[in-house]
């Protein structure tokens, strides 16, 4: 339990350092990854897994930051912050940990019920703390939050793709992403550029 709380506080500290004073674009994900090394704001501490490295590059790219700058993670995160982008998770702990604590198999559980429980807290954080101009739900599971955000009067701030969160079903599969033109960063950047 102590290790769990320590990691939670570390994630909060890393994210707080990179949080813009005024958030222009809030990228809203479901939960942090299970491996601490893969956390988005943990810059250069150790090697990210392949999937998380690609996700990092895609989200940095969504802010219009060139891919070659993503190699220096600290500089890329500073530029991400400077451009008013911030990644937040609906749940502050990996959902796999919550499932295991509830006695479920952390590799085979339904994510949606867990996310629905966090929707009221997410709405409050957005309304009273983040106060972003735009909210971009990313990842298919973050769709569980859209109704709560609309019910709270935040619907006009939502940036969606065909009424759904923006996600890349082929993330981590460069050939699949190229074939289906699903690059997450480009899709987010395009959706933001089409706003009035």
């Amino acid at each position: 339990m102590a290790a769990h709380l320590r990691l939670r506080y570390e994630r909060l500290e890393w994210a707080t350092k990179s949080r813009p004073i005024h958030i222009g674009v809030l990228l809203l994900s479901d939960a942090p990854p299970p491996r601490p090394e893969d956390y988005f704001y943990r810059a250069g501490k150790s090697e990210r897994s392949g999937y998380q490295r690609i996700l990092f590059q895609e989200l940095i790219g969504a802010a219009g930051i060139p891919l070659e700058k993503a190699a220096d993670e600290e500089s890329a995160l500073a530029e991400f912050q400077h451009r008013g982008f911030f990644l937040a998770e609906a749940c502050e702990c990996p959902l796999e940990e919550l499932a295991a604590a509830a006695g479920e198999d952390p590799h085979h559980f339904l994510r949606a019920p867990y996310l629905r429980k966090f929707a009221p807290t997410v709405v409050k954080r957005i309304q009273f703390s983040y106060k972003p101009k735009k909210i971009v739900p990313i990842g298919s599971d973050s769709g569980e939050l859209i109704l709560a955000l609309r019910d709270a009067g935040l619907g006009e701030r939502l940036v969606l793709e065909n009424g759904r969160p923006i996600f890349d079903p082929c993330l981590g599969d460069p050939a699949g992403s190229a074939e289906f033109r699903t690059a997450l960063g480009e899709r987010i950047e395009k959706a933001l550029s089409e706003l009035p």
Side-chain angles (χ1 to χ4, degrees), residues 4-44:
H4 168 83
L5 288 176
R6 181 182 49 77
L7 284 173
R8 184 175 174 178
Y9 290 127
E10 283 180 358
R11 285 190 298 266
L12 180 61
E13 183 180 331
W14 294 324
T16 301
K17 287 179 184 177
S18 295
R19 182 176 165 175
I21 294 171
H22 301 290
I23 299 173
V25 178
L26 176 67
L27 300 171
L28 185 59
S29 179
D30 57 358
R35 283 181 22 135
E37 297 85 0
D38 290 334
Y39 186 62
F40 182 76
Y41 289 109
R42 187 177 178 165

Side-chain angles (χ1 to χ4, degrees), residues 98-173:
L98 297 178
E104 294 186 53
D105 180 348
H107 302 291
H108 301 94
F109 70 100
L110 298 175
R111 299 171 76 86
Y114 287 94
L115 286 177
R116 275 188 228 115
K117 286 195 282 190
F118 291 104
T121 303
V122 171
V123 167
K124 286 179 185 172
R125 282 190 349 230
I126 290 172
Q127 290 175 319
F128 301 111
S129 180
Y130 300 145
K131 302 177 184 177
K133 292 180 182 172
K134 299 295 174 197
I135 304 165
V136 185
I138 59 171
S140 59
D141 295 321
S142 64
E144 293 298 322
L145 306 170
I146 292 174
L147 182 59
L149 293 168
R150 284 188 172 138
D151 287 347
L154 297 168
E156 290 183 9
R157 297 182 194 186
L158 285 170
V159 179
L160 304 171
E161 190 173 64
N162 301 319
R164 299 169 51 157
I166 300 174
F167 71 101
D168 181 350
C170 299
L171 191 67
D173 173 15

